Amino acid sequence: MTGLTTLLIPFGVILFSLAVHESAHAWSAARFGDRTAERLGRISLNPVRHIDPIGTLLLPIVAMTAGAPIIGWAKPVPVDPHNLKRPRQDFLYIAAAGPASNIVLAVIASVVMSVAPVTPIDVAGVSVPVWAIAGAAFDINILLAVFNMVPIPPLDGGNVLAGLLPEALAEPFDRLLRPWGFVLLYALLLTGVLGDIIMPAHAALSELLIL
C-alpha cells in the first residue's frame, strides 16, 4: 500500500464509523419517541450530515499524521427529552446506542478478518487486502466506543452516567461538568492522561472481540 492509501483507509473508516454512530443515536431517539434528529436527516450514513470540523476532520487527521490513536466525534444529535416517555431512562439508552454501534462494527470487522484475511480490493487505484480495511475498522471502532464512554459530558459516557446516577446527583453532575467537558477532555488529551485511560480498555476489549 502507498502512503496515501494508508491515510485514506483510516480516514474513510472513521468518517463511516462516526456516521453509523450518530445515526444510531438518531434512530434510537426516533424509536423512543423523539423524531427531532430524524426530521433533520441525521439517520443517514452520509458523513457530510454529521461532520464536526474539529472532531471529525482536524483531530483524526492530526492523529493519523502523528501516528497517534485515532479518536474523534461528530456533530451531536439533538434530542428533545420532552418527547420521551421516560426521559432519563430513554436518554441513557439513546446515549449508549452510539458506542454500541461501534462495538457491532468492530465485531463485523473481526469476522471479516477471520474469513477473508488476504482478499484484495481496489482502493484509490491500489490493490488493498480486505484485512487492512477490516483491521482499521476493528481498531478504530473499539477506540471510538471506549473514548465515547469516558464519563465526561458531553461524551456518551457522561450521559450514560447521568442516567445511572440518582436524580439528586445527576442534576449537579451534569450542571457542573457539561460546560467544562471539552476543556477537561482537551486537558486530558494534551497531558496524555486520556491515553492512559482509554488504551488499557482498548487492549482488553480488542482481546475480547478478536476472533
Side-chain angles (χ1 to χ4, degrees):
M1 294 187 293
T2 67
L4 178 60
T5 307
T6 58
L7 291 178
L8 286 177
I9 289 175
F11 189 62
V13 166
I14 197 167
L15 286 180
F16 176 76
S17 301
L18 287 173
V20 171
H21 181 109
E22 297 304 327
S23 292
H25 285 315
W27 180 86
S28 59
R31 301 290 77 75
F32 282 109
D34 179 33
R35 298 189 176 276
T36 304
E38 183 181 27
R39 288 193 293 269
L40 293 172
R42 298 298 300 277
I43 304 179
S44 172
L45 297 183
N46 180 0
V48 174
R49 294 187 176 273
H50 307 287
I51 283 176
D52 174 273
I54 295 176
T56 314
L57 300 177
L58 181 61
L59 185 60
I61 290 172
V62 169
M64 284 185 291
T65 54
I70 302 172
I71 56 176
W73 58 82
K75 184 168 57 177
V77 163
V79 178
D80 185 349
H82 295 97
N83 294 328
L84 305 175
K85 293 180 180 178
R86 301 165 297 179
R88 293 190 72 233
Q89 181 177 330
D90 293 348
F91 192 70
L92 184 157
Y93 293 137
I94 293 167
S101 73
N102 294 123
I103 294 297
V104 171
L105 289 178
V107 170
I108 293 172
S110 181
V111 172
V112 171
M113 284 190 292
S114 69
V115 299
V118 293
T119 307
I121 63 173
D122 187 77
V123 178
V126 178
S127 183
V128 180
V130 167
W131 61 260
I133 298 174
F138 180 77
D139 187 60
I140 288 172
N141 276 284
I142 291 177
L143 276 172
L144 288 177
V146 172
F147 169 67
N148 277 283
M149 283 306 292
V150 172
I152 299 174
L155 294 181
D156 298 323
N159 294 326
V160 169
L161 180 57
L164 292 173
L165 289 171
E167 195 164 354
L169 295 177
E171 185 177 346
F173 167 79
D174 193 70
R175 186 175 64 251
L176 290 173
L177 280 187
R178 189 168 295 275
W180 302 100
F182 275 119
V183 175
L184 181 55
L185 280 173
Y186 281 124
L188 293 175
L189 180 64
L190 293 173
T191 58
V193 174
L194 185 61
D196 293 337
I197 294 172
I198 67 175
M199 294 315 292
H202 169 269
L205 196 53
S206 297
E207 184 70 22
L208 179 66
L209 297 181
I210 195 69
L211 296 180

